[in-house]
Amino acid sequence: MSTWKRDAASGLIVVLPVLVTLYLIYWVFAKIAVLALAATQLQNPYLAVVLSLLVFVLVIFAIGYLMRTALGTFLEGQLDDAMNSLPGLRIIYNASKMAVETALSGTEEFQKPVKVEAWEGMRMTAFRTGQRAPDGRELLFIPTSPNITSGFVVEVDSEDIIETGESSEDALTRVLSAGFGSSEQEDIGRYIDSADDDSADDDSADEEDEAR
């Protein structure tokens, strides 16, 4: 295989993730700027975004301080009751609240990836939740690939959980990349060269058959 194909593939691996990240940052900034300009009536979008973010942070801290009081606890309970009385929306509310609570104050166990044998001879990547079922089995979350926001919650006996010792970054990289990625990047040219060599062998075999 020619070198330019390997160089192009390696370059795309480096550049495309950066471009996607920059685009997402631009998209989020643009959305905030539109809302900020409408709320503050400022002509400068950067000043409007900074002011809106500052107000948002102050509101978050104020509500957090309020939650430390008896009044805050009462108001939170009333809000939960009101949201849980709305059919359909209560599922979204409770799921998002649980996700935020787990992300901000979850245990170390939730960050620990493990593997389970879903069927004989086939293992799946899972994450501990730190919770247990009424019968004592551990609750694991098996994310789907490449969308890790969805998945399955399974109840597994502790002895059936396979410890891997790998980091969360390694496990998430594998799931997000549908099994193709690795935290330790390998030379993609090796796989491309191998594919081209196989193709060349097939072409040679075809030519020999035709000559016969």
Side-chain angles (χ1 to χ4, degrees):
M1 172 193 173
S2 58
T3 306
W4 71 268
K5 290 184 178 180
R6 179 167 57 249
D7 293 340
S10 300
L12 287 174
I13 291 176
V14 174
V15 173
L16 285 182
V18 175
L19 293 179
V20 172
T21 302
L22 292 177
Y23 175 77
L24 288 177
I25 294 175
Y26 167 77
W27 183 84
V28 172
F29 178 85
K31 294 297 182 181
I32 296 177
V34 171
L35 296 176
L37 289 173
T40 62
Q41 301 298 319
L42 296 177
Q43 300 299 322
N44 190 330
Y46 296 98
L47 181 60
V49 169
V50 172
L51 180 60
S52 298
L53 290 177
L54 179 61
V55 173
F56 178 75
V57 171
L58 292 177
V59 170
I60 292 297
F61 275 99
I63 295 177
Y65 179 80
L66 181 62
M67 290 299 103
R68 294 163 52 186
T69 65
L71 176 61
T73 303
F74 172 77
L75 293 177
E76 183 182 12
Q78 294 297 313
L79 177 61
D80 289 341
D81 293 339
M83 296 302 296
N84 286 323
S85 64
L86 301 176
L89 293 180
R90 61 184 179 184
I91 299 177
I92 300 176
Y93 174 77
N94 290 323
S96 58
K97 184 175 183 179
M98 182 178 299
V100 173
E101 289 178 347
T102 302
L104 296 180
S105 59
T107 62
E108 184 69 17
E109 290 294 327
F110 181 76
Q111 303 296 332
K112 189 174 182 181
V114 295
K115 291 185 179 181
V116 292
E117 190 170 290
W119 292 276
E120 185 177 357
M122 189 186 74
R123 298 190 303 182
M124 301 184 70
T125 300
F127 292 86
R128 294 183 185 273
T129 64
Q131 305 296 324
R132 288 185 177 272
D135 59 359
R137 295 185 180 185
E138 291 194 48
L139 296 181
L140 304 180
F141 175 69
I142 301 178
T144 55
S145 178
N147 180 18
I148 62 173
T149 60
S150 63
F152 305 93
V153 177
V154 296
E155 302 176 6
V156 184
D157 290 324
S158 298
E159 57 269 19
D160 294 331
I161 298 176
I162 304 172
E163 302 289 346
T164 62
E166 64 179 348
S167 65
S168 301
E169 290 77 10
D170 291 335
L172 288 175
T173 298
R174 182 172 60 253
V175 175
L176 285 169
S177 64
F180 291 100
S182 172
S183 59
E184 299 178 356
Q185 293 296 329
E186 298 178 321
D187 184 9
I188 191 174
R190 178 165 61 88
Y191 298 99
I192 300 177
D193 287 339
S194 177
D196 282 0
D197 291 342
D198 293 341
S199 177
D201 293 340
D202 292 340
D203 292 341
S204 298
D206 293 339
E207 291 177 358
E208 291 178 359
D209 292 340
E210 292 177 358
R212 292 175 184 175

